[in-house]
Amino acid sequence: MKVTRIAYFTGLNAGKYAALVEQARRLGRIRSEVWQRYGSIGGVGSGLRDRQVRDHWLADGTHVRFGVLANAWKETVRDAMADIGANLASAKVQVRRAINRRTNDPVERKRMLAALIADRWASDPFLARQMRKHWKRGRNRTHDQIVVRADRHHTVTDPRGRLWLAVPGLERRKMVKIPLSSTVAPTGTLRLILRGGRVEVHYQIDASQMRSSQRPCGDRTIGVDKGYSEALTDSDGGRHGTRLGELLAGESDRLKERNRRRAKLRSIANTASLRGDHAKALRIRSHNLGTVKRDRQAARHRARVRTEISTAVHGVVDKAAIVVAEDLTRSFAGRKRLGKNVNRRLAAWTKGVTAEALTSVSERRGSALVRVNAAYTSQACHRCGRLGRRSGDRFHCTWCGVVWQADVNAAINILQRAGDPDIALHTPHHAVRQILQDRTDRHRTRLPVQDSIPAIAERRANHPNRSAMSNQ
Ligand SMILES: [Zn+2]
């Protein structure tokens, strides 16, 4: 298993940096061309491979007009094709769900899934319609990256013991040397990202080399509930990643305040340019409304949240051989609908980070991750299964008369879902409610009838009296 490492380089001289930026800009045009030509049903959607595109470009001379070295454009084509592939794969996840909704016939399902995987969906009317619906045509937005193949870069040590990374420039045999701030040389294929005057080098290392990967996992089965103030609460009542809420709330406040200030400055700049004071408008735009500092702060915040969530997941895996969790990969499609609401956007993003961390840490440390249907796990009592009332961080079961910690109750419910004979991962929400209802009804009919008048018995069932509550 591979994990991405990022090394940052600052203090590169302006000329060298400009040359790299120019190279990335030209490669960005190649990416756009690839998206435009092959980013649809006729291209990657029909199973086209990057090697075929390369041969095609070499034959018709497309590559010449971009003015970059051969290896740079070939790697860029490969990378852009992979991006399109990822875009296609995410559409297929949606279509897979549509198939499951459309038919219960296992043979028909299998046929459609096979056609989908092998990119033979265009000839099936239902699949073609679904793909058109879910595969939104994308475009390239990357103009600041250079992909360097493993055999095209090397590091050198200068007499003072400093490490330099040498990557190809725009001219043959003229390498650009970048001073490294670390003593570890990046390896494998590199992705250089040029942002705000510095170079980020992204590369992958084998996770088995990492210290955290060598820590063994636990031996128990643990359910986890994802939260906002804590990253995870487990079914033992343990809390992991307790600083998450603070981090998110702080960021949310900071973003709201910053957006307010920027809006004000923008309106001052607009007024100035309406008045004809273009110098002032320009000054505000370049000094106060830039994106360098903003992007850097955002990256720092993201890194902090990732660390907090990763630590939380490690804490759970320390005691678990099997981690049972909600399927957090669902409902990502709704991200666009979140609009401008800062809190909801942060929460949706955090959910994705948690899903990633659960998968990667489990894989690295050898624990199993079981994804379950989490419908009603935060609203049902883990002891009697009835739906109760949740207020803030407390859950109140009117039947048992007990107040639980809401997230601990949810984590226990999630744990129990792993062995649930009726509720499968994709059982619809309303069906889950019905199953829960049927179970408690069955339970209720087994109880001795305490009162001969049915109406009173019914009322008692729905509203347990005070003495029952105080017994708990
Ligand atoms: Zn209960």
Side-chain angles (χ1 to χ4, degrees), residues 5 30 34 66 69 112 145 147 180 216 237 247 258 301 317 328 331 350 368 374 384 388 415 439 463:
R5 279 273 163 274
I30 293 176
V34 173
F66 296 108
L69 294 180
M112 289 206 269
Q145 296 189 10
V147 178
L180 295 185
L247 277 173
R258 191 202 64 200
H301 172 256
V317 172
L328 295 167
S331 77
T350 321
C384 68
L415 174 64
R439 280 183 192 164
H463 307 280

Side-chain angles (χ1 to χ4, degrees), residues 27-323:
L27 295 171
R29 284 170 49 210
I30 293 176
R31 285 175 188 277
S32 301
E33 179 91 9
V34 173
W35 273 91
Q36 212 156 28
R37 282 210 211 174
Y38 312 109
S40 67
I41 295 169
V44 175
S46 65
L48 192 74
R49 301 279 168 260
D50 67 288
R51 181 166 283 277
Q52 292 165 281
V53 172
R54 261 167 47 181
D55 293 346
H56 195 76
W57 284 24
L58 279 172
D60 73 1
T62 304
H63 62 287
V64 180
R65 61 187 155 94
F66 296 108
V68 292
L69 294 180
N71 203 267
W73 75 257
K74 286 175 186 167
E75 282 304 300
T76 302
V77 167
R78 197 176 56 79
D79 196 48
M81 294 284 279
D83 285 345
I84 298 170
N87 181 259
L88 176 68
S90 71
K92 284 184 180 177
V93 172
Q94 310 269 344
V95 176
R96 208 178 266 254
R97 278 186 204 132
I99 292 174
N100 288 338
R101 278 195 300 270
R102 183 173 172 87
T103 175
N104 282 321
D105 177 12
V107 179
E108 180 65 358
R109 267 191 192 178
K110 205 173 166 190
R111 182 192 66 77
M112 289 206 269
L113 284 177
L116 189 67
I117 290 164
D119 283 320
R120 282 185 284 100
W121 42 267
S123 52
D124 182 298
F126 173 73
L127 291 181
R129 200 167 60 239
Q130 287 296 324
M131 282 302 290
R132 274 199 301 275
K133 181 176 164 194
H134 293 293
W135 193 16
K136 301 278 182 284
R137 200 190 161 112
R139 66 179 178 87
N140 171 47
R141 291 185 175 80
T142 304
H143 296 276
D144 57 1
Q145 296 189 10
I146 304 172
V147 178
V148 184
R149 210 172 69 187
D151 59 346
R152 295 282 151 166
H153 62 82
H154 62 268
T155 44
V156 283
T157 313
D158 69 12
R160 286 189 302 168
R162 202 152 61 136
L163 211 55
W164 294 73
L165 173 69
V167 296
L170 283 169
E171 282 170 63
R172 236 174 233 274
R173 282 185 285 277
K174 278 195 181 161
M175 304 289 273
V176 179
K177 294 197 181 68
I178 306 168
L180 295 185
S181 52
S182 72
T183 52
V184 185
T187 51
T189 299
L190 309 183
R191 182 184 300 277
L192 271 53
I193 304 181
L194 308 157
R195 267 198 282 245
R198 39 173 215 180
V199 185
E200 289 174 19
V201 177
H202 294 225
Y203 61 103
Q204 297 201 309
I205 60 164
D206 193 355
S208 63
Q209 309 290 310
M210 291 165 60
R211 239 185 316 141
S212 65
S213 302
Q214 281 144 19
R215 222 156 80 200
C217 63
D219 54 5
R220 302 177 46 214
T221 303
I222 305 275
V224 291
D225 180 45
K226 127 201 108 48
Y228 190 85
S229 48
E230 295 89 18
L232 295 168
T233 299
D234 68 35
S235 45
D236 294 343
R239 291 167 202 284
H240 309 269
T242 46
R243 289 186 330 134
L244 182 68
E246 202 182 301
L247 277 173
L248 293 177
E251 179 71 354
S252 165
D253 290 346
R254 199 182 63 74
L255 288 181
K256 279 178 196 155
E257 175 63 15
R258 191 202 64 200
N259 290 344
R260 196 184 59 75
R261 283 206 193 130
R262 283 173 82 96
K264 198 169 166 189
L265 282 165
R266 208 168 284 128
S267 94
I268 293 173
N270 286 343
T271 319
S273 60
L274 278 179
R275 252 195 349 253
D277 191 352
H278 296 295
K280 183 177 179 182
L282 193 68
R283 211 162 49 233
I284 293 176
R285 290 215 172 88
S286 62
H287 290 294
N288 306 93
L289 290 169
T291 54
V292 172
K293 189 176 161 198
R294 183 192 72 182
D295 293 348
R296 199 171 290 171
Q297 283 172 335
R300 206 175 299 146
H301 172 256
R302 284 198 297 269
R304 272 193 210 118
V305 170
R306 284 215 170 85
T307 306
E308 188 68 14
I309 290 175
S310 167
T311 310
V313 174
H314 275 293
V316 173
V317 172
D318 280 343
K319 53 183 180 180
I322 301 172
V323 180

Side-chain angles (χ1 to χ4, degrees), residues 381 383-386 397 399-400 404:
C381 168
R383 205 167 66 170
C384 68
R386 281 177 179 75
C397 175
W399 177 262
C400 302
W404 309 106

